[in-house]
Amino acid sequence: MQTGPEINLRIPALIPEDYLPDVHNRLVLYKRISSAAGAPALLALEAEMRDRFGPLPPAVLNLMQVARLRQQADALGIARIEAGAASGLVEFARSPRVDPLTIVELVQQDPRRFRLDGGGTRLRFTESLAEPGRRMDFVSGLLGRLAAPARSPTTRSSSR
């Protein structure tokens, strides 16, 4: 059922049975979430779920955030993201849409936190991410940094 990059943040990201008891409706919603075309579609789906079933429990909010991260990662050509309490990785697909200089800059600016391995196909990170919300925020911020173009040499020298 899942499409796009694999995202594993080691947090509960699901529609609980006590929120929506009907299995068929849960499956329909999973499919709609996974096939949502962009953040506005996910927001509309969240609003619909609130209207139909009540306030979204934390696991559903996590599911929606993971779906947003999947969309961001897919746009960047990222195949997989894993994050745990202390570390994680971003694995690039065969043809990533990330400026290689952006990745190099990230590693050079903070080599204790970031490193490349797997022949440059994986960006590993070390970060204290015990809280699930912090983990999601970190991954979202990292994807934002990867989406940004590398700074030009003139920008680098003028920002020092």
Side-chain angles (χ1 to χ4, degrees), residues 71-160:
Q71 290 173 346
Q72 285 180 276
D74 192 40
L76 294 171
I78 292 171
R80 179 171 63 119
I81 298 174
E82 290 189 19
S87 64
L89 69 87
V90 173
E91 186 174 316
F92 298 100
R94 212 169 259 236
S95 300
R97 292 174 292 284
V98 176
D99 183 346
L101 291 177
T102 299
I103 300 168
V104 169
E105 246 180 29
L106 191 66
V107 172
Q108 286 178 342
Q109 288 172 356
D110 203 347
R112 288 185 178 164
R113 224 163 90 185
F114 297 101
R115 69 180 165 84
L116 279 172
D117 74 358
T121 61
R122 287 187 294 271
L123 176 67
R124 294 198 176 271
F125 57 85
T126 304
E127 182 77 16
S128 178
L129 302 169
E131 304 217 356
R134 176 143 164 63
R135 199 171 307 160
M136 285 189 286
D137 290 346
F138 178 84
V139 170
S140 180
L142 179 57
L143 291 174
R145 288 174 75 179
L146 292 172
R151 295 181 298 162
S152 68
T154 56
T155 306
R156 273 186 231 133
S157 60
S158 65
S159 66
R160 288 183 186 167

